[in-house]
Amino acid sequence: MRKRLRRTRRIVLAVLIVLLVPLLTAETALRVNYMGDPADGTHTRDRDAIWLGHAWVDGRKKDADLTALARELRTTGIRDLYVHTGPMEHDGTLPKSRYPKARWLLDAVHRELPGVRVQAFLGDVLATESPDGMRLEQAATRAAVVDSARQVLDTGYDGVHLDLEPLHSGDRDYLSLLDDVRTVTRARDAQLSVAAHQIDPLPGFHSFWGTVAGHPKWWSQEFFGRVARRVDQIAVMSYDTMQPLESLYGGYVAQQTSLALEVTPPTTHLLMGLPFYHENRFGHWNQAETVAAAVHGVRLGLSRTDADRERFGVAAYIDFAATEEDWASYRDGWVR
């Protein structure tokens, strides 16, 4: 009996070592990655963006709100607004009733903030991990999404911003959709931008996590590059990282920035996401995922990989949850 107990304890200890040693090694690497000083000049290129909530197009926001937003943005490098205009239906269609005040917003932004583009943020849940959601493998659904893109451009939007989740690495139907949508946006001299999943922090990690958790979460670096080559802008959702400490989160963002820069062509505008929202749950620890840490990580990754990259910026998520501290950290650390 005692021998069996000792054997069981040894097995449990061995399993813990196998699991914990790689984890501790990876976390130590992230902490080291956060060390050092960014290179001079790694600040805004006046190519930043912000995601805006649905209230801007459904009638809840008024002229006074737009005036306040314009005042806020004039002292930043933000030149693209991703305005939530969906969600699309699972069949890819977009009811016009979802954005009755879009024309008001477009006219007001173009009047108050010359040079700032307004892109229609169109999203939906994909049926990749549950039976409900949009199915990109259906040609009719993809065609409907293309029609929805054409529809918002007809309204006057300066571009289309797609956010379809959870999108698994290697999805060929998604790549096909991007090719088709870009044909429409190019014909209108409009932007095509996407919200992108994070890149494997270790090679093949999305496959491992998909097996363990049923949710691959990450994209391979190769797939990220294939997406980046098909769009005008790609914004990495570099938050919800599961990192428990600010230094680890900042090191993770630095790593993500480098990985993204390595495979994003210089003709594509790369943006790294900033967490302008506050939650405490397993995937997102508020005390760790701060704007200050994200900005420092972005600057470190940029410094080490491509400090002079012109088509580069940060993207803040999201306006209605942002605090004064978030805005101050963005301005002090990135805009200056």
Side-chain angles (χ1 to χ4, degrees):
M1 185 68 179
R2 290 181 178 176
K3 287 183 178 179
R4 186 179 300 173
L5 182 60
R6 283 198 296 270
R7 187 180 306 140
T8 300
R9 287 174 176 171
R10 291 194 189 103
I11 292 173
V12 171
L13 179 61
V15 170
L16 288 174
I17 290 173
V18 168
L19 292 175
L20 289 178
V21 169
L23 175 62
L24 291 174
T25 300
E27 295 293 80
T28 299
L30 292 181
R31 178 65 185 88
V32 172
N33 207 34
Y34 193 59
M35 299 171 65
D37 297 319
D40 292 339
T42 51
H43 302 296
T44 187
R45 279 84 165 124
D46 289 329
R47 291 179 179 271
D48 304 330
I50 187 170
W51 282 277
L52 299 182
H54 200 78
W56 289 100
V57 294
D58 68 6
R60 282 176 286 170
K61 293 291 187 179
K62 308 300 180 184
D63 290 343
D65 299 304
L66 193 284
T67 299
L69 178 67
R71 186 184 310 115
E72 190 84 76
L73 297 185
R74 286 191 189 103
T75 57
T76 72
I78 292 173
R79 297 296 179 269
D80 281 283
L81 310 181
Y82 303 142
V83 184
H84 191 264
T85 307
M88 292 179 286
E89 298 290 337
H90 292 339
D91 64 2
T93 59
L94 178 66
K96 292 183 179 180
S97 59
R98 299 228 165 116
Y99 53 98
K101 297 287 288 183
R103 190 67 255 179
W104 164 80
L105 177 67
L106 291 163
D107 291 342
V109 170
H110 293 155
R111 180 182 66 250
E112 299 293 332
L113 294 165
V116 171
R117 292 179 295 209
V118 184
Q119 301 192 41
F121 167 10
L122 304 181
D124 193 24
V125 175
L126 296 179
T128 49
E129 297 174 16
S130 74
D132 298 321
M134 181 182 288
R135 297 184 179 276
L136 292 182
E137 68 272 18
Q138 297 179 354
T141 299
R142 297 196 305 274
V145 173
V146 174
D147 284 341
S148 294
R150 189 178 291 109
Q151 178 180 313
V152 293
L153 294 178
D154 287 342
T155 300
Y157 281 95
D158 302 305
V160 177
H161 179 79
L162 295 178
D163 180 14
L164 303 174
E165 305 178 45
L167 182 68
H168 292 179
S169 184
D171 191 321
R172 294 181 179 179
D173 295 315
Y174 179 65
L175 298 179
S176 176
L177 173 65
L178 294 181
D179 290 338
D180 292 341
V181 175
R182 198 173 193 190
T183 298
V184 173
T185 56
R186 277 183 165 173
R188 307 290 189 91
D189 195 25
Q191 295 288 296
L192 171 58
S193 60
V194 295
H197 288 29
Q198 297 156 31
I199 299 171
D200 280 334
L202 298 170
F205 198 70
H206 70 278
S207 297
F208 165 76
W209 197 256
T211 301
V212 171
H215 171 50
K217 184 177 172 67
W218 292 271
W219 287 352
S220 72
Q221 190 182 35
E222 185 271 340
F223 182 69
F224 186 98
R226 293 176 72 185
V227 173
R229 290 191 292 274
R230 285 171 162 81
V231 298
D232 300 297
Q233 299 179 336
I234 185 166
V236 184
M237 295 180 286
S238 41
Y239 33 76
D240 293 348
T241 64
M242 297 182 285
Q243 297 303 319
L245 300 175
E246 198 172 19
S247 58
L248 299 180
Y249 172 61
Y252 183 91
V253 172
Q255 180 200 48
Q256 287 291 309
T257 302
S258 292
L259 291 171
L261 282 166
E262 288 170 359
V263 292
T264 301
T267 52
T268 299
H269 180 186
L270 172 65
L271 301 107
M272 302 302 298
L274 303 181
F276 271 42
Y277 66 102
H278 305 272
E279 298 177 358
N280 274 309
R281 49 184 169 78
F282 173 69
H284 181 102
W285 300 106
N286 190 52
Q287 76 279 3
E289 296 199 15
T290 66
V291 175
V295 166
H296 190 68
V298 166
R299 294 187 62 210
L300 286 171
L302 183 63
S303 300
R304 295 165 181 161
T305 313
D306 191 354
D308 297 323
R309 176 74 67 115
E310 181 61 28
R311 295 180 181 272
F312 184 87
V314 297
Y317 184 87
I318 188 167
D319 71 305
F320 57 76
T323 65
E324 287 301 320
E325 183 178 358
D326 294 332
W327 282 108
S329 294
Y330 160 65
R331 286 191 177 90
D332 294 344
W334 182 246
V335 179
R336 298 203 168 185

